[in-house]
Amino acid sequence: MTDYKNRIFPADLIRITAVLGVIVIHADAVTASFSNYFGGISWWFANLLHSAASIAVPLFVMLSGYLILNKGPRPGGYYLKKSAMRIGIPLLFWTPAYFR
């Protein structure tokens, strides 16, 4: 069961906003990319939604950094070392895989 006393309400709102933004980006990609819609009202509406929702991925990145650094001081930087291992190992594996 989740302890709601330890929840960070603004972080939850940012997470909800970012999730909805990613959904909008994926949903309107079809309309915004069709050339027969260029200049039409549906293209402008899809383009406006995409522009407003493009903040979603940077919000996720900033929220991740905030939550990692908000853990408080630990002796020897334990949490940062643990996070670096969880992020670093997949990064070392997937980087060469994507650049093939």
Side-chain angles (χ1 to χ4, degrees):
M1 181 176 239
T2 305
D3 183 17
Y4 291 105
K5 293 179 184 176
N6 293 332
R7 303 284 303 180
I8 304 170
F9 185 68
D12 289 340
L13 287 178
I14 292 171
R15 188 178 293 124
I16 291 168
T17 304
V19 167
L20 291 175
V22 169
I23 291 170
V24 167
I25 287 171
H26 284 91
D28 80 344
V30 174
T31 306
S33 64
F34 281 146
S35 60
N36 58 346
Y37 286 121
F38 284 155
I41 190 72
S42 61
W43 180 82
W44 279 106
F45 183 68
N47 201 11
L48 177 72
L49 282 177
H50 185 80
S51 297
S54 64
I55 196 171
V57 175
L59 279 177
F60 272 127
V61 172
M62 288 187 289
L63 184 61
S64 297
Y66 170 75
L67 292 175
I68 286 173
L69 295 176
N70 196 32
K71 294 295 182 183
R74 303 255 169 105
Y78 170 75
Y79 190 76
L80 289 177
K81 288 179 188 176
K82 183 179 170 186
S83 295
M85 291 300 290
R86 286 191 323 201
I87 295 170
I89 292 172
L91 180 68
L92 290 175
F93 174 77
W94 286 108
T95 300
Y98 279 121
F99 285 116
R100 286 184 152 214

